Amino acid sequence: MYIQRILGIISLVLITLSTMAVQPTHRVELPSHISSVAVFPDLKHCVVVTDNVYGKHDYITMIDMENSKALWRINVNNLNFHIKPTPHGLVLTTGIDTKASHTSLIDTHTGQRIYEFQFYPLFISSDPDVMIGYKKASSKTAEAYCLSNGEKLWTSKIKPGKASFWSTMTRIDKNHLALIGKSLYMVDINTGHFISQPLKTEITKFTKADRTATAVSATLGIAAALLTGGASFFLISKGTPVHGVHSNILSHNNRIYISDRNNLYCYDHYLTPIWQHDFDNKTATNANLYINADTLVMTNWGIGYTYNGPIYLGNECIMTFDAKTGTETGRIDLSKTWDSNRFGDDMTCQPGALFMVRHDKHQLMYIPQPSLSVAMYDTVGNVIVFDKDYREVANVPNDKLAIMTGRDNQYTLYENPNQNNRLYVADDDLNIILNVEDEYLSAYLMQKKLFLIKKNEMLIYNITDSNS
C-alpha cells in the first residue's frame, strides 16, 4: 500500500511537471485581419486568409513558418472561394456560387499555378491521390481528377441533390466514401463505382398562403368552367421545398446508420439493409446520430432548411434505439425540459460526450449520462443534463466545461465552447498534458503538435507527456 501511494504521488508530480513545463517551441508572425489559418502537411508552411475593413477576403498569403516570411500572396477580394492545403500544393476554388467554378493547384513555394480548369471539388485526398466533384452547377455526373497533376480519372453517375451537390459525406475507409446526393451513395474513390439506396431528404411544406392560393385558384377555375361550359382547370401551389430533413451518416462497427423523413436505417458497408425503423408521420427532421454503448441516440432537431433559412417542422425530441435491432427504447420531448427563464428563448443542446476539468487542472473527468438524456445550456453557459423523467442528473459549471474538438493519433483537444481562452490537450487517460488559458482565435492538433492561432501570431507546441 505504501509503495502504491508513493508511485501515485510520483505519477501526479510527473503529470504536474509535464503540464507546467510545456511552452511554445516556435512563434510565427501573421498578417493583420486574420480570417483563417491552415498549416500544410509538411509543417513548414501555412496559408493565411485576411479580411479587409469591408469584411471581404483580401489576400491569401503563403507563410514560411521557419522565418515568418511571406512567400507570395493572391488578391481574391471576394468571399466566394475555398482553399485546402495538400502535400502537392494549395487547392484554390473560386466562383463557388456561380454556374462555373474554377479550381487551381498552386505551387507552395512559388505561387505559380500548376494547373487550372472548370471544376468544383467536394472531396480532396492525397492518399489516394484524387479529388472528386462536379464540372458545374448543372452537372448530373460526378468527375474525379488526379490531385497532383490534374489528369482525369473517371466519370460516374453520382446524382447531386437539389439544394446542394452533397449535403453531407463521411470517409468510411481509405478507399470508400459515403455521401448524400440525390440518394445515399457508397463510392469507391479510385474507380467511381458506387452502390446507392433511396433516401427522402427533401419535402414540400405548404404554408397557409400556399393553401389559400390553391383554394382561390380552384374556386376561380370551377367558376370559369360554369360560365363557359368548358373543362375546369386550376394551378396548384407548389409549396416551399424543404431540404436537409435527414441525419448525419454514422459509421460504427462496420455499420452505417442514417435517418430521413420517414425512416431510420441500418446498413452494412455494402449498403445491404440490416434493419429499418419506421417513424410516425411527420416525426423525423434534421437530426444527429451517435452511439452510446449499444444504444443508438438520435437528437431530432425539429427543423428543415429552405432557401430563406431554417423552418420549424415540429417534434424536437431525443430518441434511443437498440443499435442491433432498431427497436425504439425511449423518447424525450425536448419542449418539456425547456424553461425559458432558465435556458433562454432559444434552446441550445450539447450532444455527445461531456467532460469537466478537475480543480487542480491536471486531469479531465468524464461526465456519465444516461443513454436517454439531454444536455442543455442555461443562460450563463452551464450545461444541465436531464434524464428521461426530466430529472436533473448532472450540472457542469461554465468555467469547468470541456468538449472534444480535435484529435491526432495520440492526443485529444478539448475546448470550452463558451470561452475562447480555455484549452486542454489530454492523453487517453484524460491526463492534461497542456493547459492554455489565453485568448486565441482557433486551435487544432496535427502530428503531435498544437497550433494556436492568435490575433497576429501562431504559437506551436510540441505535445509530449512523461511516457513519450
Side-chain angles (χ1 to χ4, degrees), residues 15 26 28 32 101 140 196 266 273 356:
I15 293 170
H26 190 60
V28 180
S32 300
S101 303
K140 301 302 180 185
S196 66
C266 176
M356 187 168 72

Side-chain angles (χ1 to χ4, degrees), residues 201-206 240-245 303-307 309 311 313:
T201 62
E202 182 176 292
I203 64 172
T204 301
K205 176 79 171 179
F206 287 93
T240 302
V242 182
H243 61 273
V245 289
I303 59 172
Y305 296 92
T306 70
Y307 291 106
I311 185 171
L313 299 175

Side-chain angles (χ1 to χ4, degrees), residues 219-278:
T219 301
L220 292 176
I222 294 171
L226 292 174
L227 289 173
T228 62
S232 64
F233 67 95
F234 54 90
L235 299 176
I236 299 177
S237 171
K238 294 182 178 180
T240 302
V242 182
H243 61 273
V245 289
H246 61 80
S247 70
N248 57 308
I249 301 171
L250 175 63
S251 175
H252 181 78
N253 286 346
N254 296 318
R255 297 289 183 264
I256 298 289
Y257 301 94
I258 190 165
S259 69
D260 65 7
R261 181 63 165 169
N262 298 326
N263 307 99
L264 174 65
Y265 305 93
C266 176
Y267 301 104
D268 66 14
H269 277 186
Y270 299 98
L271 292 192
T272 303
I274 297 175
W275 53 256
Q276 173 180 311
H277 176 87
D278 300 333

Side-chain angles (χ1 to χ4, degrees), residues 74-136:
I74 298 174
N75 187 349
V76 286
N77 200 33
N78 63 70
L79 298 172
N80 308 314
F81 68 91
H82 286 160
I83 58 172
K84 182 175 179 60
T86 78
H88 305 290
L90 178 69
V91 177
L92 169 63
T93 301
T94 57
I96 61 174
D97 61 347
T98 65
K99 294 182 178 180
S101 303
H102 280 77
T103 291
S104 308
L105 181 67
I106 302 175
D107 186 276
T108 305
H109 301 276
T110 67
Q112 299 298 312
R113 281 174 167 79
I114 299 171
Y115 59 74
E116 180 178 10
F117 55 90
Q118 183 178 334
F119 184 61
Y120 181 72
L122 298 167
F123 174 79
I124 299 173
S125 170
S126 58
D127 184 21
D129 181 12
V130 65
M131 54 182 180
I132 304 171
Y134 293 82
K135 181 71 73 177
K136 53 187 177 180

